Structure formats: structure tokens, C-alpha cells
Amino acid sequence: MSSTKKGRVFSGMRPTGQLHLGNYLGALENWVRLQDDYECFFCVVDWHALTTGYEETAGLKENVRQMVIDWLSAGIDPEKSVVFRQSDVKEHAELHLLLSMITPLSWLERNPTYKEQLQQLATREISTYGFLGYPVLQAADILAYKGDTVPVGEDQLPHLELSREIARRFNFLYRPVFPEPQARMNQVTLLPGLDNRKMSKSYGNYIAMAASERELGDAVTRMITDPARIRRDDPGHPEVCTVFAYHKIFSPDAVARTESECRAGKIGCVACKKNLSQTMNQFLAPIRERRQELETHPERVDEILAQGARRARAVSSQVLAEVREAMRIE
Ligand code: TRP
């Protein structure tokens, strides 16, 4: 990898199954853009999935696969970026163990995400050692590559702060080995769900990245429009309409016309939805094409992950050698 790059990006996602268009616009699109300017490591963090999902592991392997296919179809390029699975690179586990020795319990217990999740996931038994240590494993992920730039959403800021604190403590106790990784806030294009709430898997209001033309059409049909528009020629209020919010993102060239026709009651919601399906299908066409290609060559995904693991190991094994040496356990 060339040294003319601006720095080293590390990011990860838990394999929770198929991604939706909100995930694409909120995160993946940023990753795709970073690939040319940074050395990028993108990791499917299956060990992190175990912190809350250790009881239900039957679908884990397939979820990893689906996530990698979503990434690649979005335009993550395994020639430019290192795409790999966390559990394939044991250096993450070793560094997690070593960092756990120097991480005060109080830092983990006061982590707001931890407290919140304990409440939210009250039905699951997650008062485990592994779950409390989630941010230590995340710090190990990043620091095993000396990652300096971490593209994440706002919800991850407390975790990033902990990663920096752990890096600083290591550097202070032994010698400076790690950079302090900085969050790089995703440029977020906020895509509402079909019902105008936040798009979320648990609300069932999402459009999968893998949606077929038919599934997309059905989803657009379900979108909530201006409730004040009863007849086709009633004047509409695009600012409250989910379909219009989507037009702003997917049909930028036609937004002005759509808006004026809607306000004048000159275009009905059915026709307006049809236009949206059309522009979204255009947007999804290259994504679908790449997915199709991978689905007809499933062995490609295995090769990409195997190559990614080799490239990841080449870097993290060197960092671990430095860590052991700094700690005098080489
Ligand atoms: N905690 C992150 C999330 O839930 C996933 C993650 C694990 C991660 N390790 C990481 C993100 C390292 C960035 C860097 O989204």
C-alpha cells in the first residue's frame, strides 16, 4: 500500500444480516469514498456479535457472508481495501487480552452505551464479562492496525473516546506505540423509513440494499404521503411527504418539478411514486449487478475474505510484535 495516503482507516460492522438503504447512505457510502485517500481496513466483527448474541449463533456465518456481499455490491473494492472477518485474525484476541489488563473497570462501567444497552436488552442475559469488555475489543480492532481514522456514526463516539483513553494509557505505561484514533463522522444523508420514522430493521420500515425491482416497488407503494391529500387534484405538502424526502435524495434533477406539480395538485401520488421507483431502480442497478455477479460466484466471497485475512494479519502481527516488545513479553 502506498505511503502517499492520508492515514489509516479502520471500521467495522456487526454481522446482523442484510443492510438497508439507510445503512448504505449513512455509512457505506462514506467508506466507499475513503478508499482512494486512505489505507482502509473494513472488518466484519463477528466476535462483537457474540457479546449480545452468544446464544444464537446458527445464522452467524451466513450473516457475515451477506454483509460482505452488501459491502462489495456497494462499491467496497477488495483490491483497494482490506475486507476481512474479525475471527480470522487472532491478533485481535491477543490485543484485547493485553489491553484488558490495563483498562480500569470503572471506565467500562461508566460507558453510556453499556448502561443503555443493559436496560434495552433487559430480556437477554448480557451481564457477562464479554459484553462489559465490548469497547476493549473495539479498541483492539483499531489499534492492532494503528488505525488513526475511524468512520462511524454519532452513537459510537463514547467507544472512540475509550479507545483513545486505552491507547494513551498503554503509551504512558510502556512506550508510545499507538496513535490516538479519531472518529470521522459519517456524512449522513438521512433517509427516513417508509413510515417517515427513522429507518430501522426493528421497525420493519426499511428497504434492503438487496431489494429486487418488485420489492422496491412494493416498498414505495407503502410509503406514507401527505395525509391531507385525498383527491388527486388536492394541493399537496411535499415537506411532510416521505416520497418527496426520497425524491430529494434519489431524483435531484426532478425535485423542483415534482414539488411544484405536487403543490399545484397536478401530479397524483401514484404517478409520483412510479417516478421514484424508476429513479431508485436506476440508482440500484449497478449495486444489483455487482450482487448478481457475487451470487453466481459464491467462491469469490470466500477468496476475498481469505485474502483480506492474510493482508490484515501481515499488518497486525507486526503491531503485536511491537506491543509484546513494549510490554517485555516478547
Ligand atoms: N461498535 C461498532 C458498532 O456497533 C462496531 C465496531 C466494532 C467498530 N469494532 C469497531 C467500529 C472498530 C469501528 C471501529 O457499530
Side-chain angles (χ1 to χ4, degrees):
M1 267 185 253
S2 99
S3 54
T4 55
K5 303 247 159 140
K6 287 188 210 160
R8 195 172 273 171
V9 157
F10 188 100
S11 200
M13 283 189 205
R14 275 170 297 160
T16 48
Q18 288 192 339
L19 294 177
H20 55 61
L21 288 179
N23 302 128
Y24 174 76
L25 294 175
L28 269 186
E29 216 186 20
N30 291 282
W31 291 13
V32 171
R33 266 196 299 254
L34 291 169
Q35 294 185 104
D36 290 316
D37 296 337
Y38 292 82
E39 278 181 75
C40 292
F41 292 80
F42 296 125
C43 181
V44 185
V45 291
D46 54 344
W47 281 335
H48 274 106
L50 294 179
T51 61
T52 54
Y54 60 87
E55 284 173 303
E56 196 40 71
T57 56
L60 196 52
K61 240 190 178 146
E62 184 51 27
N63 283 348
V64 171
R65 249 192 114 65
Q66 286 304 324
M67 179 158 276
V68 172
I69 294 177
D70 277 329
W71 288 5
L72 300 170
S73 62
I76 299 293
D77 178 348
E79 298 302 315
K80 294 182 189 164
S81 301
V82 181
V83 175
F84 70 108
R85 180 175 74 162
Q86 187 183 36
S87 62
D88 282 333
V89 184
K90 311 303 181 200
E91 279 75 6
H92 293 234
E94 183 179 352
L95 188 55
H96 169 246
L97 176 109
L98 295 175
L99 296 178
S100 78
M101 302 299 168
I102 68 166
T103 304
L105 213 43
S106 61
W107 291 6
L108 300 173
E109 284 165 343
R110 71 165 192 234
N111 168 19
T113 317
Y114 173 68
K115 291 193 274 191
E116 198 182 288
Q117 292 260 81
L118 271 188
Q119 281 182 349
Q120 268 185 13
L121 304 178
T123 54
R124 286 194 223 167
E125 181 46 73
I126 51 170
S127 39
T128 58
Y129 180 46
F131 183 63
L132 180 67
Y134 184 111
V136 185
L137 182 57
Q138 181 162 347
D141 292 339
I142 301 165
L143 299 176
Y145 303 88
K146 299 192 182 180
D148 48 45
T149 307
V150 186
V152 282
E154 196 173 7
D155 61 313
Q156 292 296 308
L157 294 181
H159 284 157
L160 256 288
E161 179 67 34
L162 259 168
S163 293
R164 281 193 293 278
E165 283 173 325
I166 294 171
R168 222 175 284 143
R169 186 159 161 79
F170 184 99
N171 292 344
F172 164 77
L173 286 169
Y174 309 108
R175 68 175 172 81
V177 169
F178 298 122
E180 289 181 22
Q182 303 300 321
R184 189 179 191 284
M185 294 292 282
N186 289 328
Q187 224 180 332
V188 187
T189 310
L190 214 51
L191 186 70
L194 302 177
D195 54 2
N196 223 355
R197 289 188 293 171
K198 179 182 153 68
M199 185 178 282
S200 155
K201 239 181 166 178
S202 52
Y203 294 157
N205 63 356
Y206 67 96
I207 304 176
M209 277 185 67
S212 64
E213 288 202 17
R214 201 208 147 119
E215 286 162 337
L216 178 76
D218 290 347
V220 173
T221 305
R222 278 174 55 208
M223 280 181 191
I224 292 175
T225 55
D226 174 5
R229 262 193 110 178
I230 294 158
R231 273 176 293 269
R232 192 193 148 314
D233 50 3
D234 286 339
H237 306 86
E239 64 279 5
V240 301
C241 178
T242 314
V243 178
F244 187 68
Y246 274 65
H247 271 304
K248 284 199 275 191
I249 297 168
F250 295 104
S251 339
D253 300 337
V255 164
R257 200 187 62 219
T258 303
E259 176 164 13
S260 65
E261 289 185 352
C262 173
R263 285 197 198 285
K266 281 195 191 135
I267 185 174
C269 295
V270 174
C272 184
K273 284 182 167 179
K274 218 166 156 189
N275 292 344
L276 178 63
S277 292
Q278 218 169 36
T279 53
M280 288 186 75
N281 276 324
Q282 279 167 18
F283 175 87
L284 284 173
I287 297 179
R288 285 189 184 128
E289 204 173 301
R290 285 188 289 255
R291 170 181 301 277
Q292 174 84 41
E293 168 77 20
L294 290 165
E295 276 169 357
T296 45
H297 300 284
E299 74 287 353
R300 271 295 285 148
V301 178
D302 299 322
E303 286 163 14
I304 287 166
L305 286 175
Q307 180 198 277
R310 278 194 299 274
R311 291 168 69 193
R313 236 177 273 132
V315 176
S316 58
S317 62
Q318 296 227 2
V319 175
L320 262 290
E322 251 185 89
V323 167
R324 286 184 216 113
E325 194 260 328
M327 294 178 84
R328 303 284 198 291
I329 48 171
E330 74 268 37

